[in-house]
C-alpha cells in the first residue's frame, strides 16, 4: 500500500529546487545552501477531533492539516520550505483514505512553494490521523515570537473571528503571505496565529511576554459565522462569545508599537482588514473594556490541548 502511495505521489509531485532527493528512498535530501535560522513545526489532526470524516470530503482533511501547519509558519513569519506527511489509516479502505488527503494538500503545497519531501503510512484499528512536519526559513527580519509584546503596544488582528466550525475551519487560507509582508514592512514585537481561540491565543502572548492586555470588545471584528452560529445554537451565547473563544480562525494576532500600528491601520496593506482591538499593559491579566468604558476581567477561553 505504501509503495502504491509513493508511486502515486511521485507521479503528482512537481519538481522542487529544494529537493535533491524526494520521496522513495529511506530519507529525503534537501539542498540547504545559504539558509539562516529555520523553523520546525509539527501538528497532528485526527478524525472526530479536528474534522468529521463521515461528513466531509476527505480531501478537506488533508488540506486542513497542511493549512494549520502553514499557519504556524505564518505565526513565526517564516517562509515555507519543505514538509513530511505521516498518515495513520483505518484498515478499511486504507489506500483511498491515503490518496484523498494527499490530493487535498498537494495544491496548497504548490501554492506556497512547499516541497513535499516524504512521509510515512500505517494502518491500524483507529481513526484517520494526519501528522505533518514543516520546515520554514526565517527571513532577514527575524522570527516573530510570542514573547516580545511590550506595554503600550497595540493588539492588531487580521480578518474576523468566530463560528469557523460552520465551514471556514476546513477552507481557511493560512496567513503566510500576510505575515511575511507585515514582518517585512513594519516593526512587529510579537505574533501568534489564532488557532485555539482569540482570547486564549492572546493570553499565550501575555504569558510569554509577561504583561497584560485590555481588549476593546466593541472593536473585535466578529465574523458572519459567529452571528449565524449564535443564532442557530440559541443557547444564550453571543456572536462576541464565539469571536473570543471558538478557535480555528487561523488569523494573526500581533503586537506593534503605537506609531507602527497607526501606519498599518491607515495603509491597510493586506487583502484582509487589519483591526486594532486593544492594548498591551504592564499589569498582568486579560481585561475587557466595553463601549461604556467599564473594565472587567476577561477569562481566556478556547481549545485546551489534552
Ligand atoms: Mg500556532
Amino acid at each position: 500500500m505504501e509503495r502504491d502511495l509513493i508511486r502515486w505521489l511521485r507521479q503528482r509531485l512537481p519538481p522542487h529546487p529544494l529537493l535533491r532527493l524526494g520521496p522513495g528512498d529511506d530519507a529525503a535530501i534537501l539542498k540547504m545552501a545559504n539558509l539562516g535560522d529555520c523553523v520546525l513545526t509539527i501538528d497532528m489532526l485526527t478524525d472526530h477531533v479536528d474534522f468529521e470524516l463521515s461528513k466531509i470530503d476527505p480531501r478537506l482533511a488533508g488540506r486542513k492539516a497542511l493549512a494549520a501547519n502553514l499557519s504556524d509558519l505564518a505565526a513565526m513569519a517564516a517562509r515555507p520550505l519543505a514538509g513530511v506527511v505521516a498518515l495513520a489509516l483505518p484498515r478499511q479502505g486504507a489506500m483511498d483514505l491515503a490518496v484523498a488527503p494527499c490530493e487535498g494538500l498537494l495544491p496548497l503545497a504548490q501554492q506556497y512553494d512547499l516541497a513535499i519531501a516524504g512521509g510515512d503510512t500505517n494502518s491500524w484499528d483507529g481513526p484517520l490521523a494526519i501528522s505533518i512536519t514543516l520546515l520554514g526559513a526565517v527571513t532577514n527580519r527575524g522570527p516573530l515570537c510570542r514573547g516580545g509584546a511590550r506595554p503600550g503596544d497595540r493588539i492588531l488582528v487580521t480578518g474576523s473571528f468566530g463560528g469557523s466550525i460552520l465551514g471556514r475551519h476546513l477552507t481557511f487560507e493560512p496567513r503566510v503571505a500576510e505575515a511575511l509582508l507585515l514582518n517585512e514592512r513594519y516593526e512587529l514585537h510579537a505574533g501568534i496565529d489564532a488557532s485555539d481561540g482569540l482570547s486564549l491565543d492572546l493570553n499565550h502572548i501575555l504569558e510569554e511576554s509577561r504583561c497584560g492586555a485590555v481588549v476593546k470588545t466593541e472593536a473585535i471584528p466578529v465574523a458572519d459565522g459567529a452571528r449565524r452560529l449564535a443564532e442557530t445554537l440559541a443557547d444564550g451565547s453571543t456572536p462576541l462569545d464565539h469571536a473570543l473563544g471558538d478557535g480555528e480562525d487561523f488569523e494573526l494576532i500581533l503586537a506593534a508599537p503605537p506609531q507602527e500600528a497607526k501606519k498599518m491601520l491607515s495603509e491597510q496593506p493586506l487583502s484582509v482588514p487589519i483591526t486594532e482591538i486593544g492594548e498591551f499593559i504592564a499589569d498582568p491579566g486579560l481585561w475587557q473594556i466595553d463601549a461604556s468604558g467599564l473594565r472587567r476581567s476577561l477569562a481566556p477561553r478556547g481549545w485546551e490541548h489534552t
Side-chain angles (χ1 to χ4, degrees), residues 22 46 48 72 89 123 126 136 144 178 189 212 215 236 272 277 289 302-303:
T46 320
H48 308 309
D72 277 331
L89 300 157
S123 305
L144 199 54
E178 289 81 359
H189 285 166
V215 173
V272 281
I277 63 161
I289 189 163
W303 177 261

Side-chain angles (χ1 to χ4, degrees), residues 72 75 146 192-193 195:
D72 277 331
R146 298 178 180 187
I192 191 171
D193 65 319
S195 50

Side-chain angles (χ1 to χ4, degrees), residues 14-19 29-41 66 69-70 73-74 77-84 108-118 132-139 176 180:
H16 194 287
L18 253 187
L19 278 186
I29 304 176
L30 303 180
K31 295 178 208 170
M32 300 288 275
N34 303 324
L35 269 184
D37 289 354
C38 283
V39 170
L40 191 61
T41 181
L66 181 56
N69 266 271
L70 285 167
L73 289 187
R79 189 166 53 83
L81 293 174
V84 286
L108 201 62
Q110 217 166 333
Q111 185 184 335
Y112 288 94
D113 201 21
L114 178 84
I116 298 295
I132 300 181
T133 300
L134 291 188
L135 186 69
V138 170
T139 69
V176 175
L180 289 171

Side-chain angles (χ1 to χ4, degrees), residues 95-143:
M95 182 62 188
D96 288 346
L97 258 185
V99 165
C102 291
E103 273 179 336
L105 65 83
L106 286 181
L108 201 62
Q110 217 166 333
Q111 185 184 335
Y112 288 94
D113 201 21
L114 178 84
I116 298 295
D120 189 28
T121 61
N122 252 330
S123 305
W124 70 326
D125 293 323
L128 173 69
I130 309 170
S131 176
I132 300 181
T133 300
L134 291 188
L135 186 69
V138 170
T139 69
N140 56 11
R141 295 282 291 174

